[in-house]
Amino acid sequence: MVAQPWDLSPATTALRLGAAALFGAVIGFEREVDGHDAGLRTHVLLALGSALFGALSVGAFGEFVVPRNATDLSIDPTRIASYVAAGVGFLGGGAILKRTDRIKGLTTAASLWVVAAVGLAAGLGFWSGSLIASGLAIVVLVADWPLRKLMGRVRRARIAEDMHEDDRAAD
């Protein structure tokens, strides 16, 4: 039997979600080291949620694919999924608070978005996607302390390098 494009194996799902998390981490690390409010965790969670919504679009609706009827009636179960993604954006927006010097709640908003994707995946029976994304999200949220320590070292090194360049320019 030939595999259909919507038949995503757990290994393929893990690769796609893991790659998204890794790519988001690389960009988020740079943003956080540069002192931006949306840092590593926010970028990873948004990349992960996006990847899970994408995998859902491809892999979770296979059982709904049926030959077209002779009638004009068609049902598109993916429409509900797209509204979940958009609707959670409004919910997450309410979790974000702007202060004079910082923005608070970005990671919470991103984690709400990932959890919406996880919940939708579970609701559709896309178990590998919901399980893998949940695990990766927990790793990202728990790994915050050691990563912050590393980012602090990188940030201090950049500041010291900039100060050294300023001293050389002044000479």
Side-chain angles (χ1 to χ4, degrees), residues 16-78:
R16 291 179 183 192
L17 295 179
L22 177 65
F23 300 152
V26 170
I27 295 166
F29 183 84
E30 189 282 330
R31 299 280 71 202
E32 192 149 332
V33 165
D34 237 15
H36 295 274
D37 289 314
L40 186 130
R41 293 190 315 165
T42 304
H43 280 78
V44 170
L45 291 171
L46 287 172
L48 181 60
S50 297
L52 185 54
F53 279 123
L56 276 167
S57 297
V58 173
F61 294 99
E63 67 186 65
F64 299 102
V65 175
V66 293
R68 183 127 182 143
N69 295 337
T71 69
D72 288 334
L73 178 66
S74 67
I75 297 171
D76 182 9
T78 62

Side-chain angles (χ1 to χ4, degrees), residues 43-162:
H43 280 78
V44 170
L45 291 171
L46 287 172
L48 181 60
S50 297
L52 185 54
F53 279 123
L56 276 167
S57 297
V58 173
F61 294 99
E63 67 186 65
F64 299 102
V65 175
V66 293
R68 183 127 182 143
N69 295 337
T71 69
D72 288 334
L73 178 66
S74 67
I75 297 171
D76 182 9
T78 62
R79 292 179 65 194
I80 294 170
S82 68
Y83 287 110
V84 169
V88 171
F90 287 105
L91 181 63
I96 300 170
L97 301 171
K98 176 142 177 43
R99 309 249 170 150
T100 54
D101 61 337
R102 286 199 55 102
I103 297 175
K104 192 159 176 59
L106 283 171
T107 301
T108 299
S111 66
L112 288 171
W113 200 62
V114 170
V115 168
V118 166
L120 185 60
L124 291 168
F126 190 50
W127 303 115
S128 61
S130 60
L131 181 65
I132 294 162
S134 295
L136 288 170
I138 291 295
V139 167
V140 167
L141 292 168
V142 170
D144 185 48
W145 185 81
L147 288 171
R148 284 210 182 276
K149 202 170 171 183
L150 173 64
M151 283 181 239
R153 274 191 250 137
V154 172
R155 188 177 295 130
R156 285 189 297 278
R158 274 194 181 175
I159 291 169
E161 184 179 304
D162 289 346

